[in-house]
Amino acid sequence: MEDNSSGTTTGPAAGPAEELPGGRARPKTGKSEQTRALILETAMRLFRERGYDKTTMRAIAQEAGVSVGNAYYYFESKEFLIQGFYDQMTYAHALDATARMAGERDFDARLRISLESWLDCAADYHEFAAQFFRTAADPDSSLSPFSNESHPARATAVDLFRDVLNGSDLAPRLDAELAELLPDLLWLHLMVVVLYWVFDRTPDTARTREFVRRSTPLVAKLIALSRYRVFRPMVRDAKSLIQDFILPTIGRTAATRTPPPPPRRP
Amino acid sequence: MEDNSSGTTTGPAAGPAEELPGGRARPKTGKSEQTRALILETAMRLFRERGYDKTTMRAIAQEAGVSVGNAYYYFESKEFLIQGFYDQMTYAHALDATARMAGERDFDARLRISLESWLDCAADYHEFAAQFFRTAADPDSSLSPFSNESHPARATAVDLFRDVLNGSDLAPRLDAELAELLPDLLWLHLMVVVLYWVFDRTPDTARTREFVRRSTPLVAKLIALSRYRVFRPMVRDAKSLIQDFILPTIGRTAATRTPPPPPRRP
DNA sequence: TCGAAGTTTTGAACACGTTCAAGGAACGCA
DNA sequence: TGCGTTCCTTGAACGTGTTCAAAACTTCGA
């Protein structure tokens, strides 16, 4: 918060929320964008090769053939390189998962596929991921996916889970209001899996994969059961708790909060 | 992992798992223990006053009247000072919560009281706690409460929740096996509350307090319901998932793990 | 009391993330 | 062409966490 007077430099580092290929973004010169990409790619390669802590900013700069100050012109800090990595990976994951679950209608399978896809996309970065998670746990860092700042990567991820649900045979049978909450909850489920994965030390993170295979049927069953009468009061309580306390804390400020009671009659 | 050859120094920093007042602990000279305590207290005061990042090791040393190297003799790194803080707070919390819920038999109330007690104990450190949580999220750090290293503070916390359960009217009505898992699960619930608290920016963390008031009845209801027939299959699945995948990942490898860690380094 | 072995303390030195004043390079305009 | 403005790049310098060889102190047997 106290860093907002980020100096006299007016470089792109001040507003780094634009490097996905979709934006009108940076002025014009392809040169600048090229340097930025070079630095990010070099950093990611070194992170993969040596790990985060052992990769110094000096090494990144030298390996990329620029000065250390130049790296700071494009990335506000070493942590912002992680943001670049996270955005890229989220995007790749969304594409891969969507492709892989095409045609599959079973909700459990779709959920499992999308999580396994994440594990595959992230596999090369397992060691380095600890650092990412550390950063995510810091509420002061704008990189945290839990932080209120609009986080394009998080929106992409939540959209993917909306797709997981909507493309499944489960979707039409669900209460509309619950269906609205679920994408965010499934994203939270991914966060739990990520937490598990970060701490997983088994070869090829086999344990996490097993955890996914075991936990997704449970999630599917839980959601399916939520329609039944007996569970109504509890589901209602849980729903309002989530709506009032969980979602506003993550990105979802007020976008869709308690819409007027939908007079549905099943 | 690669730091294990922690240098030639054989000071107490190598085995800092002993400073709770219950132990036979450090050899004999009260002097050493005194210096250690002085450094820890000074650090905690400065953390409280200035925050973690703004408190430098040099400042801690100067304020405590020792050299910076001396601080490193007692604490392997700045992060290990957090461990000292965490141990102390956990102990204080266990005492406070136990006292506060004495006489109360309602499970929901006991759970709520114990969580509110935590919030009160931690209140002074709210700002600084972000850093603690950051550390907790790093699997390479032996400070992480999720790490396998025997973590006396965690054991204390889990014991507290065992007490929350056993002292309640709910305990005798529960399946024995489930009752065995619950203390760890309730500790996980605390971790969720802590996560919420860390990100909470409302004055006096009012939002977290509201979150506790709203979530504990749900937890209580969920546990109470688990006895009913309909839920059996699901409870069984969840139980085995937790038993096989969650608890082993946190400290709980086997029932009782090598109780006495000998602090001798010849 | 002496000396050796162990314990505690010191502070200069090191590596790293980060900052910043200064200087080029590119572009527009007269 | 010359000049002003903006964008990009540089690398020395700063403050920080951390290390380590050496000094100071304690303990204890002879």
Side-chain angles (χ1 to χ4, degrees), chain A residues 189-264:
Chain A
H189 182 207
L190 172 62
M191 289 299 104
V192 171
V193 170
V194 171
L195 175 62
Y196 199 94
W197 177 79
V198 164
F199 280 82
D200 186 359
R201 289 285 186 252
T202 60
D204 200 28
T205 61
R207 196 162 180 75
T208 305
R209 290 171 188 280
E210 186 67 22
F211 177 59
V212 166
R213 277 193 290 276
R214 289 275 295 271
S215 68
T216 53
L218 223 85
V219 171
K221 207 184 292 182
L222 196 67
I223 295 174
L225 285 183
S226 74
R227 292 177 304 143
Y228 289 105
R229 263 221 122 150
V230 226
F231 300 87
R232 279 285 168 73
M234 174 138 261
V235 169
R236 272 175 51 122
D237 286 353
K239 208 163 69 177
S240 77
L241 181 71
I242 289 160
Q243 211 157 26
D244 296 347
F245 286 88
I246 310 286
L247 298 193
T249 299
I250 22 186
R252 295 241 139 184
T253 48
T256 44
R257 252 211 65 186
T258 30
R264 272 297 203 224

Coordinates of all heavy atoms in Angstrom, one line a residue, chain A residues 189-264:
Chain A
H189 N -12.1 -25.6 -5.0 CA -11.7 -27.0 -5.0 C -10.3 -27.2 -5.6 O -9.4 -27.8 -5.1 CB -12.7 -27.9 -5.6 CG -12.4 -29.4 -5.6 ND1 -12.8 -30.3 -6.5 CD2 -11.6 -30.1 -4.7 CE1 -12.4 -31.5 -6.2 NE2 -11.6 -31.4 -5.1
L190 N -10.2 -26.5 -6.8 CA -8.9 -26.5 -7.4 C -7.8 -26.0 -6.5 O -6.7 -26.5 -6.4 CB -8.9 -25.7 -8.7 CG -7.6 -25.5 -9.4 CD1 -6.9 -26.8 -9.9 CD2 -7.7 -24.5 -10.6
M191 N -8.1 -24.9 -5.8 CA -7.1 -24.3 -4.9 C -6.7 -25.3 -3.9 O -5.5 -25.3 -3.5 CB -7.7 -23.0 -4.3 CG -7.8 -21.8 -5.2 SD -6.3 -21.3 -6.0 CE -6.4 -21.9 -7.6
V192 N -7.6 -26.1 -3.4 CA -7.3 -27.1 -2.4 C -6.4 -28.1 -3.0 O -5.4 -28.6 -2.4 CB -8.6 -27.8 -1.8 CG1 -8.2 -29.0 -1.0 CG2 -9.4 -26.8 -1.0
V193 N -6.7 -28.5 -4.2 CA -5.9 -29.5 -4.9 C -4.5 -28.9 -5.1 O -3.5 -29.6 -4.9 CB -6.5 -29.9 -6.3 CG1 -5.5 -30.7 -7.1 CG2 -7.8 -30.7 -6.1
V194 N -4.4 -27.7 -5.5 CA -3.1 -27.0 -5.7 C -2.3 -27.0 -4.3 O -1.1 -27.3 -4.3 CB -3.3 -25.6 -6.2 CG1 -1.9 -24.9 -6.1 CG2 -3.9 -25.6 -7.6
L195 N -3.0 -26.7 -3.3 CA -2.3 -26.8 -2.0 C -1.8 -28.2 -1.7 O -0.6 -28.3 -1.3 CB -3.3 -26.4 -0.9 CG -2.8 -26.5 0.6 CD1 -1.7 -25.6 0.8 CD2 -4.0 -26.2 1.6
Y196 N -2.6 -29.2 -2.0 CA -2.2 -30.5 -1.8 C -0.9 -30.8 -2.6 O 0.0 -31.4 -2.2 CB -3.3 -31.5 -2.1 CG -3.2 -32.9 -1.6 CD1 -3.8 -33.2 -0.3 CD2 -2.4 -33.8 -2.2 CE1 -3.6 -34.4 0.2 CE2 -2.2 -35.1 -1.7 CZ -2.9 -35.4 -0.5 OH -2.7 -36.6 0.1
W197 N -1.0 -30.4 -3.9 CA 0.0 -30.6 -4.9 C 1.3 -30.0 -4.4 O 2.4 -30.6 -4.6 CB -0.5 -30.1 -6.2 CG 0.4 -30.2 -7.4 CD1 0.7 -31.2 -8.1 CD2 1.2 -29.1 -7.9 NE1 1.6 -30.9 -9.1 CE2 1.9 -29.6 -9.0 CE3 1.4 -27.7 -7.6 CZ2 2.7 -28.8 -9.8 CZ3 2.2 -26.9 -8.4 CH2 2.9 -27.5 -9.5
V198 N 1.2 -28.8 -3.9 CA 2.4 -28.1 -3.5 C 3.2 -28.9 -2.5 O 4.4 -28.9 -2.5 CB 2.1 -26.7 -3.0 CG1 3.2 -26.1 -2.3 CG2 1.7 -25.8 -4.2
F199 N 2.4 -29.5 -1.6 CA 3.1 -30.2 -0.5 C 3.4 -31.6 -0.8 O 4.0 -32.3 -0.1 CB 2.2 -30.2 0.8 CG 2.2 -28.9 1.5 CD1 1.5 -27.8 1.1 CD2 3.0 -28.8 2.6 CE1 1.6 -26.6 1.8 CE2 3.1 -27.6 3.3 CZ 2.4 -26.5 2.9
D200 N 2.9 -32.1 -2.0 CA 3.1 -33.4 -2.4 C 4.6 -33.7 -2.9 O 5.1 -33.0 -3.8 CB 2.2 -33.8 -3.6 CG 2.2 -35.2 -4.0 OD1 3.0 -36.0 -3.4 OD2 1.5 -35.6 -4.9
R201 N 5.2 -34.7 -2.3 CA 6.6 -34.9 -2.6 C 6.8 -36.3 -3.3 O 7.9 -36.7 -3.6 CB 7.5 -34.9 -1.4 CG 7.7 -33.5 -0.8 CD 8.7 -32.7 -1.7 NE 9.0 -31.4 -1.1 CZ 8.6 -30.3 -1.6 NH1 7.8 -30.3 -2.6 NH2 8.9 -29.1 -1.0
T202 N 5.7 -37.0 -3.6 CA 5.8 -38.3 -4.3 C 6.2 -38.1 -5.7 O 5.9 -37.0 -6.3 CB 4.5 -39.0 -4.2 OG1 3.5 -38.3 -4.9 CG2 4.0 -39.2 -2.8
P203 N 6.9 -39.1 -6.3 CA 7.3 -39.0 -7.7 C 6.1 -38.8 -8.6 O 5.1 -39.4 -8.5 CB 8.0 -40.3 -8.0 CG 7.7 -41.2 -6.9 CD 7.3 -40.4 -5.7
D204 N 6.3 -37.8 -9.5 CA 5.2 -37.5 -10.5 C 3.9 -37.0 -9.8 O 2.9 -37.1 -10.4 CB 4.9 -38.7 -11.4 CG 4.2 -38.2 -12.7 OD1 4.4 -37.0 -13.1 OD2 3.4 -39.0 -13.3
T205 N 4.1 -36.6 -8.6 CA 2.9 -36.1 -7.8 C 1.8 -37.2 -7.8 O 0.6 -36.8 -8.0 CB 2.4 -34.8 -8.2 OG1 1.9 -34.8 -9.5 CG2 3.5 -33.7 -8.0
A206 N 2.2 -38.4 -7.8 CA 1.2 -39.5 -7.9 C 0.1 -39.4 -6.8 O -1.1 -39.7 -7.1 CB 1.9 -40.8 -7.8
R207 N 0.5 -39.0 -5.7 CA -0.4 -38.9 -4.6 C -1.6 -37.9 -4.8 O -2.7 -38.2 -4.6 CB 0.3 -38.6 -3.3 CG -0.6 -38.8 -2.1 CD 0.3 -38.9 -0.8 NE -0.6 -39.2 0.3 CZ -1.2 -40.4 0.5 NH1 -0.9 -41.4 -0.3 NH2 -2.0 -40.6 1.6
T208 N -1.2 -36.8 -5.4 CA -2.2 -35.8 -5.7 C -3.2 -36.3 -6.8 O -4.4 -36.1 -6.7 CB -1.5 -34.5 -6.2 OG1 -0.6 -34.0 -5.3 CG2 -2.6 -33.4 -6.5
R209 N -2.6 -37.0 -7.7 CA -3.5 -37.6 -8.8 C -4.5 -38.6 -8.1 O -5.6 -38.6 -8.5 CB -2.6 -38.3 -9.8 CG -1.9 -37.3 -10.7 CD -0.8 -37.9 -11.6 NE 0.0 -36.9 -12.2 CZ -0.4 -36.1 -13.2 NH1 -1.6 -36.4 -13.8 NH2 0.4 -35.2 -13.7
E210 N -4.0 -39.4 -7.2 CA -4.9 -40.3 -6.5 C -5.9 -39.5 -5.7 O -7.1 -39.8 -5.7 CB -4.1 -41.2 -5.6 CG -4.8 -42.3 -4.9 CD -5.4 -43.3 -5.9 OE1 -4.8 -43.5 -7.0 OE2 -6.4 -44.0 -5.5
F211 N -5.5 -38.4 -5.1 CA -6.4 -37.6 -4.3 C -7.5 -37.0 -5.2 O -8.7 -37.0 -4.8 CB -5.6 -36.4 -3.7 CG -6.4 -35.4 -2.9 CD1 -7.2 -35.9 -1.9 CD2 -6.4 -34.1 -3.3 CE1 -7.9 -34.9 -1.1 CE2 -7.1 -33.2 -2.6 CZ -7.9 -33.6 -1.5
V212 N -7.1 -36.6 -6.4 CA -8.1 -36.1 -7.4 C -9.1 -37.2 -7.7 O -10.3 -37.0 -7.7 CB -7.4 -35.5 -8.6 CG1 -8.5 -35.3 -9.7 CG2 -6.7 -34.2 -8.3
R213 N -8.6 -38.4 -8.0 CA -9.5 -39.5 -8.4 C -10.5 -39.8 -7.3 O -11.6 -40.2 -7.5 CB -8.7 -40.7 -8.8 CG -8.2 -40.7 -10.2 CD -7.7 -42.1 -10.6 NE -6.4 -42.4 -9.9 CZ -5.2 -42.0 -10.3 NH1 -5.1 -41.3 -11.4 NH2 -4.1 -42.4 -9.7
R214 N -10.0 -39.7 -6.1 CA -10.8 -40.0 -4.9 C -11.8 -38.9 -4.5 O -12.9 -39.2 -4.0 CB -10.0 -40.4 -3.7 CG -9.3 -41.7 -3.9 CD -10.1 -42.9 -3.4 NE -10.5 -42.9 -2.0 CZ -9.8 -43.4 -1.1 NH1 -8.7 -44.1 -1.4 NH2 -10.2 -43.4 0.2
S215 N -11.4 -37.7 -4.7 CA -12.2 -36.6 -4.2 C -13.3 -36.1 -5.2 O -14.4 -35.7 -4.8 CB -11.3 -35.4 -3.8 OG -10.7 -34.8 -5.0
T216 N -13.0 -36.2 -6.5 CA -14.0 -35.7 -7.4 C -15.3 -36.5 -7.4 O -16.4 -35.9 -7.4 CB -13.5 -35.7 -8.9 OG1 -13.0 -37.0 -9.2 CG2 -12.4 -34.6 -9.0
P217 N -15.3 -37.8 -7.2 CA -16.6 -38.5 -7.1 C -17.4 -38.0 -5.9 O -18.6 -37.9 -6.0 CB -16.3 -40.0 -7.0 CG -14.9 -40.1 -7.4 CD -14.2 -38.8 -7.2
L218 N -16.7 -37.7 -4.9 CA -17.4 -37.2 -3.7 C -18.0 -35.9 -3.9 O -19.2 -35.6 -3.5 CB -16.3 -37.1 -2.5 CG -16.8 -37.6 -1.2 CD1 -16.6 -39.1 -1.1 CD2 -16.2 -36.9 -0.1
V219 N -17.3 -35.0 -4.5 CA -17.8 -33.7 -4.9 C -19.1 -33.9 -5.8 O -20.1 -33.2 -5.5 CB -16.8 -32.8 -5.6 CG1 -17.4 -31.6 -6.1 CG2 -15.6 -32.5 -4.6
A220 N -18.9 -34.7 -6.8 CA -20.1 -34.9 -7.7 C -21.3 -35.5 -6.9 O -22.4 -35.0 -7.1 CB -19.6 -35.9 -8.8
K221 N -21.0 -36.4 -6.0 CA -22.1 -37.0 -5.3 C -22.8 -36.0 -4.4 O -24.0 -35.9 -4.3 CB -21.6 -38.2 -4.4 CG -22.6 -39.2 -4.2 CD -22.0 -40.3 -3.2 CE -21.0 -41.2 -3.9 NZ -20.5 -42.2 -3.0
L222 N -21.9 -35.2 -3.7 CA -22.4 -34.1 -2.8 C -23.3 -33.2 -3.6 O -24.4 -32.8 -3.1 CB -21.2 -33.4 -2.2 CG -21.5 -32.5 -1.0 CD1 -21.9 -33.4 0.2 CD2 -20.3 -31.7 -0.7
I223 N -22.9 -32.8 -4.8 CA -23.7 -31.8 -5.5 C -25.0 -32.5 -6.0 O -26.1 -31.9 -5.9 CB -22.9 -31.3 -6.8 CG1 -21.7 -30.5 -6.3 CG2 -23.8 -30.5 -7.7 CD1 -20.8 -30.1 -7.4
A224 N -24.9 -33.7 -6.4 CA -26.1 -34.4 -6.9 C -27.1 -34.6 -5.8 O -28.3 -34.4 -5.9 CB -25.7 -35.8 -7.5
L225 N -26.6 -34.9 -4.6 CA -27.5 -35.1 -3.4 C -28.2 -33.8 -3.0 O -29.2 -33.9 -2.4 CB -26.7 -35.7 -2.3 CG -26.3 -37.2 -2.4 CD1 -25.6 -37.6 -1.1 CD2 -27.6 -38.0 -2.6
S226 N -27.5 -32.7 -3.2 CA -28.0 -31.5 -2.7 C -29.5 -31.2 -3.2 O -30.1 -30.3 -2.6 CB -27.1 -30.3 -3.1 OG -27.3 -30.0 -4.5
R227 N -29.9 -31.9 -4.2 CA -31.3 -31.6 -4.7 C -32.3 -32.2 -3.7 O -33.5 -31.8 -3.8 CB -31.4 -32.2 -6.1 CG -30.6 -31.5 -7.1 CD -30.8 -32.2 -8.4 NE -30.4 -33.6 -8.3 CZ -31.0 -34.6 -9.0 NH1 -32.0 -34.3 -9.7 NH2 -30.6 -35.8 -8.9
Y228 N -31.9 -33.2 -3.0 CA -33.0 -33.9 -2.2 C -33.5 -33.1 -1.0 O -32.8 -32.3 -0.4 CB -32.4 -35.2 -1.7 CG -32.2 -36.2 -2.9 CD1 -31.0 -36.5 -3.4 CD2 -33.4 -36.8 -3.5 CE1 -30.8 -37.3 -4.4 CE2 -33.2 -37.6 -4.5 CZ -32.0 -37.9 -5.0 OH -31.8 -38.8 -6.1
R229 N -34.7 -33.4 -0.7 CA -35.4 -32.7 0.4 C -34.7 -32.6 1.7 O -34.5 -31.5 2.2 CB -36.7 -33.5 0.6 CG -37.8 -32.9 -0.1 CD -39.0 -32.8 0.6 NE -39.3 -31.4 0.7 CZ -40.6 -31.0 0.7 NH1 -41.5 -31.8 0.8 NH2 -40.8 -29.7 0.8
V230 N -34.2 -33.7 2.1 CA -33.6 -33.8 3.5 C -32.5 -32.8 3.6 O -32.2 -32.2 4.7 CB -32.9 -35.2 3.7 CG1 -33.3 -35.7 5.1 CG2 -33.3 -36.2 2.6
F231 N -31.8 -32.5 2.5 CA -30.6 -31.6 2.7 C -30.9 -30.2 2.5 O -30.1 -29.3 2.7 CB -29.6 -32.0 1.6 CG -29.2 -33.5 1.7 CD1 -29.9 -34.5 1.1 CD2 -28.0 -33.8 2.4 CE1 -29.5 -35.8 1.2 CE2 -27.6 -35.1 2.6 CZ -28.3 -36.1 1.9
R232 N -32.2 -29.9 2.1 CA -32.6 -28.5 1.9 C -32.1 -27.5 2.9 O -31.4 -26.6 2.5 CB -34.1 -28.4 1.7 CG -34.6 -28.8 0.4 CD -34.3 -27.7 -0.7 NE -34.6 -28.3 -2.0 CZ -35.8 -28.6 -2.4 NH1 -36.9 -28.3 -1.7 NH2 -36.0 -29.2 -3.6
P233 N -32.5 -27.7 4.2 CA -32.1 -26.6 5.1 C -30.6 -26.4 5.2 O -30.1 -25.3 5.2 CB -32.6 -27.2 6.5 CG -33.4 -28.4 6.1 CD -33.1 -28.8 4.8
M234 N -29.9 -27.5 5.2 CA -28.4 -27.4 5.3 C -27.8 -26.8 4.1 O -27.0 -25.9 4.2 CB -27.9 -28.9 5.5 CG -26.4 -28.9 5.4 SD -25.8 -30.0 6.7 CE -25.3 -28.9 8.0
V235 N -28.3 -27.2 2.9 CA -27.8 -26.6 1.7 C -28.1 -25.1 1.7 O -27.3 -24.3 1.3 CB -28.5 -27.2 0.4 CG1 -28.2 -26.4 -0.8 CG2 -28.0 -28.6 0.3
R236 N -29.3 -24.7 2.1 CA -29.6 -23.3 2.2 C -28.7 -22.5 3.1 O -28.2 -21.4 2.7 CB -31.1 -23.1 2.7 CG -32.1 -23.1 1.6 CD -33.5 -23.1 2.1 NE -33.6 -22.0 3.1 CZ -34.5 -21.0 2.9 NH1 -35.3 -21.0 1.9 NH2 -34.6 -20.0 3.8
D237 N -28.4 -23.1 4.3 CA -27.5 -22.4 5.2 C -26.1 -22.3 4.5 O -25.5 -21.2 4.6 CB -27.4 -23.3 6.5 CG -28.6 -23.1 7.3 OD1 -29.4 -22.3 7.0 OD2 -28.7 -23.8 8.4
A238 N -25.6 -23.4 4.0 CA -24.3 -23.4 3.4 C -24.2 -22.4 2.3 O -23.3 -21.6 2.1 CB -23.9 -24.8 2.9
K239 N -25.3 -22.4 1.5 CA -25.3 -21.5 0.3 C -25.2 -20.0 0.8 O -24.5 -19.2 0.2 CB -26.6 -21.7 -0.5 CG -26.5 -21.4 -1.9 CD -27.7 -22.0 -2.7 CE -29.0 -21.4 -2.4 NZ -30.1 -21.9 -3.2
S240 N -26.0 -19.7 1.8 CA -26.0 -18.2 2.2 C -24.7 -17.9 2.8 O -24.1 -16.8 2.7 CB -27.2 -17.9 3.1 OG -26.9 -18.4 4.4
L241 N -24.1 -18.9 3.5 CA -22.8 -18.6 4.1 C -21.7 -18.4 3.1 O -21.0 -17.4 3.1 CB -22.3 -19.9 5.0 CG -21.0 -19.7 5.7 CD1 -21.1 -18.8 6.8 CD2 -20.5 -21.1 6.2
I242 N -21.8 -19.2 2.0 CA -20.8 -19.0 0.9 C -21.1 -17.7 0.2 O -20.1 -16.9 0.0 CB -20.9 -20.2 0.0 CG1 -20.4 -21.4 0.6 CG2 -20.2 -19.9 -1.3 CD1 -20.8 -22.7 0.0
Q243 N -22.3 -17.4 0.0 CA -22.7 -16.2 -0.8 C -22.3 -14.9 0.0 O -21.8 -14.0 -0.6 CB -24.2 -16.2 -1.0 CG -24.6 -15.5 -2.3 CD -25.9 -16.1 -2.8 OE1 -26.7 -16.5 -2.0 NE2 -26.1 -16.0 -4.1
D244 N -22.5 -15.0 1.3 CA -22.3 -13.8 2.1 C -20.8 -13.6 2.5 O -20.4 -12.5 2.8 CB -23.2 -13.7 3.3 CG -24.7 -13.7 2.9 OD1 -24.9 -13.4 1.7 OD2 -25.5 -13.9 3.7
F245 N -20.1 -14.7 2.7 CA -18.8 -14.6 3.4 C -17.7 -15.1 2.5 O -16.5 -14.6 2.7 CB -18.8 -15.4 4.7 CG -19.6 -14.7 5.7 CD1 -21.0 -14.9 5.9 CD2 -19.0 -13.8 6.6 CE1 -21.7 -14.2 6.9 CE2 -19.7 -13.1 7.6 CZ -21.0 -13.3 7.7
I246 N -17.9 -16.1 1.7 CA -16.8 -16.6 0.9 C -16.6 -15.8 -0.4 O -15.5 -15.3 -0.6 CB -16.9 -18.1 0.6 CG1 -17.3 -18.8 1.9 CG2 -15.6 -18.7 0.0 CD1 -16.2 -19.0 2.9
L247 N -17.6 -15.8 -1.2 CA -17.4 -15.2 -2.5 C -17.0 -13.7 -2.5 O -16.2 -13.3 -3.3 CB -18.7 -15.4 -3.3 CG -19.1 -16.9 -3.6 CD1 -20.1 -17.0 -4.7 CD2 -17.8 -17.7 -4.0
P248 N -17.6 -12.9 -1.6 CA -17.2 -11.5 -1.6 C -15.7 -11.4 -1.2 O -15.1 -10.4 -1.6 CB -18.1 -10.9 -0.5 CG -19.2 -11.8 -0.3 CD -18.7 -13.2 -0.6
T249 N -15.2 -12.3 -0.5 CA -13.8 -12.2 -0.1 C -12.9 -12.5 -1.3 O -11.8 -11.9 -1.4 CB -13.5 -13.2 1.1 OG1 -14.3 -12.9 2.2 CG2 -12.1 -13.2 1.5
I250 N -13.3 -13.5 -2.1 CA -12.5 -13.6 -3.3 C -13.0 -12.6 -4.3 O -13.9 -11.8 -4.0 CB -12.6 -15.1 -3.9 CG1 -13.8 -15.8 -3.4 CG2 -11.4 -15.8 -3.6 CD1 -13.9 -17.2 -3.8
G251 N -12.6 -12.7 -5.5 CA -12.9 -11.6 -6.5 C -14.3 -11.1 -6.5 O -14.5 -9.9 -6.7
R252 N -15.3 -11.9 -6.3 CA -16.7 -11.6 -6.5 C -17.2 -10.6 -5.6 O -17.9 -10.9 -4.6 CB -17.5 -12.9 -6.2 CG -17.2 -13.9 -7.2 CD -18.5 -14.2 -7.9 NE -18.3 -14.5 -9.3 CZ -19.3 -14.7 -10.1 NH1 -20.5 -14.7 -9.6 NH2 -19.1 -14.8 -11.3
T253 N -17.0 -9.3 -5.9 CA -17.4 -8.3 -4.9 C -19.0 -8.2 -4.7 O -19.5 -8.6 -3.7 CB -17.0 -6.9 -5.4 OG1 -17.3 -6.8 -6.8 CG2 -15.5 -6.8 -5.2
A254 N -19.6 -7.8 -5.8 CA -21.1 -7.7 -5.6 C -21.8 -8.0 -6.8 O -23.0 -7.9 -6.9 CB -21.5 -6.2 -5.2
A255 N -21.1 -8.6 -7.8 CA -21.6 -8.8 -9.1 C -23.0 -9.4 -9.1 O -24.0 -8.9 -9.6 CB -20.7 -9.6 -9.9
T256 N -23.1 -10.6 -8.5 CA -24.4 -11.3 -8.5 C -24.7 -11.7 -7.0 O -24.4 -12.8 -6.6 CB -24.3 -12.6 -9.3 OG1 -23.1 -13.2 -9.1 CG2 -24.4 -12.2 -10.8
R257 N -25.2 -10.8 -6.2 CA -25.4 -11.1 -4.8 C -26.9 -11.2 -4.6 O -27.6 -10.2 -4.7 CB -24.8 -10.1 -3.9 CG -23.6 -10.7 -3.2 CD -23.4 -10.1 -1.9 NE -24.4 -10.4 -0.9 CZ -24.5 -9.8 0.3 NH1 -23.6 -8.9 0.7 NH2 -25.5 -10.1 1.1
T258 N -27.4 -12.3 -4.1 CA -28.8 -12.5 -3.8 C -29.7 -11.8 -4.7 O -30.3 -10.7 -4.4 CB -29.0 -12.0 -2.3 OG1 -28.1 -10.9 -2.0 CG2 -28.9 -13.1 -1.3
P259 N -29.9 -12.3 -5.9 CA -30.9 -11.8 -6.8 C -32.3 -12.0 -6.2 O -32.5 -12.8 -5.3 CB -30.7 -12.6 -8.1 CG -30.1 -13.9 -7.6 CD -29.3 -13.5 -6.4
P260 N -33.3 -11.2 -6.7 CA -34.7 -11.4 -6.1 C -35.1 -12.9 -6.2 O -34.7 -13.6 -7.1 CB -35.5 -10.5 -7.0 CG -34.6 -10.2 -8.2 CD -33.2 -10.3 -7.7
P261 N -35.9 -13.3 -5.2 CA -36.3 -14.7 -5.1 C -36.9 -15.2 -6.4 O -38.0 -14.7 -6.8 CB -37.3 -14.7 -4.0 CG -37.7 -13.3 -3.7 CD -36.5 -12.5 -4.1
P262 N -36.3 -16.2 -7.0 CA -36.9 -16.7 -8.3 C -38.0 -17.6 -8.0 O -37.9 -18.7 -7.5 CB -35.7 -17.5 -8.9 CG -34.8 -17.8 -7.7 CD -35.1 -16.9 -6.6
P263 N -39.2 -17.2 -8.4 CA -40.4 -18.0 -8.1 C -40.5 -19.2 -9.0 O -41.2 -19.3 -10.0 CB -41.6 -17.0 -8.4 CG -41.0 -16.0 -9.4 CD -39.5 -16.0 -9.2
R264 N -39.7 -20.2 -8.7 CA -39.6 -21.4 -9.5 C -40.5 -22.5 -8.9 O -40.7 -22.6 -7.7 CB -38.2 -22.0 -9.5 CG -37.3 -21.4 -10.6 CD -37.8 -21.8 -11.9 NE -36.8 -21.8 -13.0 CZ -37.1 -21.3 -14.1 NH1 -38.2 -20.7 -14.4 NH2 -36.2 -21.4 -15.1

